[in-house]
Amino acid sequence: MAASAIGAIAQTIQLSVTPVFLLVATGSLLNVFTGRLARVVDRSRVLLDHWASAEGLEHERIVAELRVVDRRIDVINNSIAAAVACGIVVCLLVALLFTQAFTGLDLNVAAAWVFVIATLLLLASLILFLVEVRLATRVVHVPMEALGLGPAGRRERKRSGQ
């Protein structure tokens, strides 16, 4: 193999490192997202077990939480889909870089657009994850009595710096 070909391959590998770091980060995020999904699914199963035997206000509370849990499952699934799509697009980017190195075709503009698409998919995934976390925190509130706070509740806690 000629020295220039080896140099081109080495340069392409160096250029591929950044997208590969993005791929590793996306894989780590997918691990977090699937863990969240598993916890939400487990919570839905617990609620469904109690749903059949609950009555009155307790039944209404369970139904309300089940609606939020169902929404959380949809949102985290969409977050996972966006992260997987990001990973696929990053792999496409690496393939484009190697195709350019081996064929001599100028694929710089295509590679730039593919990188932008990957970044936008990662952004969408993170935004959806934030939405899911916000949905989760809306359902869980510690009763003011448990915090030892009076009727002013959360305002009192914020003012006192707790």
Side-chain angles (χ1 to χ4, degrees):
M1 206 181 264
S4 63
I6 293 173
I9 292 170
Q11 184 181 13
T12 302
I13 291 172
Q14 289 172 343
L15 286 173
S16 308
V17 170
T18 301
V20 169
F21 280 126
L22 181 58
L23 190 59
V24 169
T26 302
S28 297
L29 286 171
L30 279 167
N31 190 33
V32 171
F33 298 162
T34 56
R36 291 283 297 191
L37 179 60
R39 293 187 70 200
V40 175
V41 168
D42 289 345
R43 179 67 182 151
S44 72
R45 289 181 179 143
V46 167
L47 289 170
L48 285 171
D49 287 345
H50 296 305
W51 173 79
S53 61
E55 295 178 3
L57 289 175
E58 180 67 10
H59 188 273
E60 290 175 24
R61 185 195 65 76
I62 290 172
V63 168
E65 190 173 346
L66 276 168
R67 287 183 181 137
V68 174
V69 165
D70 185 60
R71 176 77 178 122
R72 287 178 63 195
I73 289 170
D74 287 344
V75 172
I76 201 70
N77 268 325
N78 288 332
S79 181
I80 290 169
V84 168
C86 173
I88 291 169
V89 171
V90 169
C91 290
L92 177 62
L93 175 59
V94 172
L96 275 173
L97 292 173
F98 276 96
T99 300
Q100 178 172 306
F102 288 123
T103 64
L105 295 172
D106 182 10
L107 301 173
N108 289 329
V109 173
W113 277 110
V114 169
F115 184 77
V116 168
I117 291 167
T119 304
L120 290 173
L121 286 166
L122 180 60
L123 176 65
S125 180
L126 291 170
I127 289 170
L128 287 165
F129 179 64
L130 178 62
V131 168
E132 190 275 329
V133 169
R134 299 288 300 197
L135 284 169
T137 57
R138 281 190 202 150
V139 174
V140 179
H141 289 288
V142 177
M144 292 299 112
E145 308 83 51
L147 297 174
L149 299 176
R154 295 189 193 286
R155 286 188 310 244
E156 185 178 311
R157 181 177 66 188
K158 287 179 183 174
R159 211 176 18 248
S160 68
Q162 294 177 350

